[in-house]
Amino acid sequence: MHRVARALAVVAAALVIVPAAKSQVQFGFAGGANFPTGSISNELKTGYSAGANLWIGAPLIPFAVRVEGMYDYWKYKPASGEGNFRDIRGTANAIFSFAPGPVKPYITGGVGVYNLKASAETYTVGAVGVSSEGSSQTKFGLNAGGGVLLGLAGFGVYAEATYHHVFTDGNALNMIPVVVGVRFGGF
């Protein structure tokens, strides 16, 4: 719980600092592959992630905040049964850029809410404790990762990988989405 409290404090600090510095809002879209890790990787194939986001930042300040909503989807491996597993997540992340200029490497980390759902007639995703028959659970999680942003006139493109750790009743759900995105607006 101390890790969650620290992560919330970092995001809250970024939410206070960034708006005070003539912030600008950008919106964007992202999508890519999603790799299940840990015990869940024995049950799920590589899936995909897609979603939208809002970036709040200011020119010449290396800190920004991003709020995003993503949809993640995986199919079961043949030995695990038939069906699929998905989550719908909302995250709030602090972002720190290392370099000014058009090419900006960055790190990101934050907290999220994840709605998990297993869709199968007789299968339980035992690794994360989500039962079958389409029931869903909402859980909290943390994420951290990094990426590179290429800023262009009025928009930017980025590539990013993040590690997500979702606290569940069984083993934690761990995943690494690797996405490419575009954001519109300027800072």
Side-chain angles (χ1 to χ4, degrees), residues 27-34 48-55 66-72 89 91 93 106 148-149 156-162 164 177-184:
F27 68 95
F29 304 95
N34 194 319
Y48 65 85
S49 295
N53 50 58
L54 288 175
W55 301 60
R66 181 178 63 209
V67 178
E68 63 186 356
M70 298 292 281
Y71 178 83
D72 303 308
R89 61 182 151 102
T91 60
N93 302 303
Y106 63 88
V148 175
L149 171 68
V157 294
Y158 65 95
E160 177 179 291
T162 51
H164 291 257
V178 178
V179 299
V180 174
V182 60
R183 69 179 201 184
F184 302 95

Side-chain angles (χ1 to χ4, degrees), residues 103-121:
V103 178
K104 296 180 183 179
Y106 63 88
I107 57 173
T108 181
V111 297
V113 176
Y114 301 74
N115 180 267
L116 312 172
K117 184 175 181 181
S119 298
E121 291 182 18

Side-chain angles (χ1 to χ4, degrees), residues 60-99:
L60 306 177
I61 294 181
F63 293 101
V65 174
R66 181 178 63 209
V67 178
E68 63 186 356
M70 298 292 281
Y71 178 83
D72 303 308
Y73 178 89
W74 303 267
K75 286 190 175 258
Y76 297 131
K77 289 184 175 178
S80 298
E82 293 192 21
N84 59 66
F85 185 73
R86 67 99 177 122
D87 87 74
I88 299 171
R89 61 182 151 102
T91 60
N93 302 303
I95 297 173
F96 177 78
S97 299
F98 290 107

